[in-house]
Amino acid sequence: MKINMGPLDRIIRTIVAIVIFILFLTHVVTGIWAIILLIIAGIFIITSAIGFCPMYKILMIDTCKKEKKKETNANI
């Protein structure tokens, strides 16, 4: 599994997940929408933590810089 998410992409996903979680805790979002958004937030946190997004792989998107990939692949 190659990293296909750059640092900015990972930061943005983490911030969006945190905002969704805060909206849930403050009861701004409730019901089925809250559940859907919490699932999306969980996916964002997981993909940000591992640096790999399966949807990016399907769509052939890569926001990771080439230098970082070489360093990361050498460590694996």
Side-chain angles (χ1 to χ4, degrees):
M1 178 168 49
K2 292 183 179 179
I3 294 175
N4 63 1
M5 292 175 58
L8 182 61
D9 193 8
R10 293 168 85 172
I11 290 169
I12 290 171
R13 284 174 179 246
T14 303
I15 290 171
V16 169
I18 291 169
V19 168
I20 290 171
F21 189 65
I22 290 171
L23 291 174
F24 174 75
L25 289 178
T26 57
H27 301 288
V28 173
V29 180
T30 58
I32 191 72
W33 288 110
I35 295 168
I36 293 169
L37 287 175
L38 283 176
I39 291 170
I40 292 170
I43 292 169
F44 277 8
I45 291 293
I46 291 169
T47 57
S48 294
I50 62 174
F52 177 77
C53 178
M55 186 60 73
Y56 279 12
K57 177 115 174 138
I58 293 169
L59 298 175
M60 294 182 211
I61 298 172
D62 190 352
T63 61
C64 186
K65 293 184 180 180
K66 300 299 177 198
E67 296 87 32
K68 291 286 185 184
K69 279 187 173 181
K70 289 178 185 175
E71 291 175 15
T72 306
N73 289 338
N75 292 335
I76 296 176

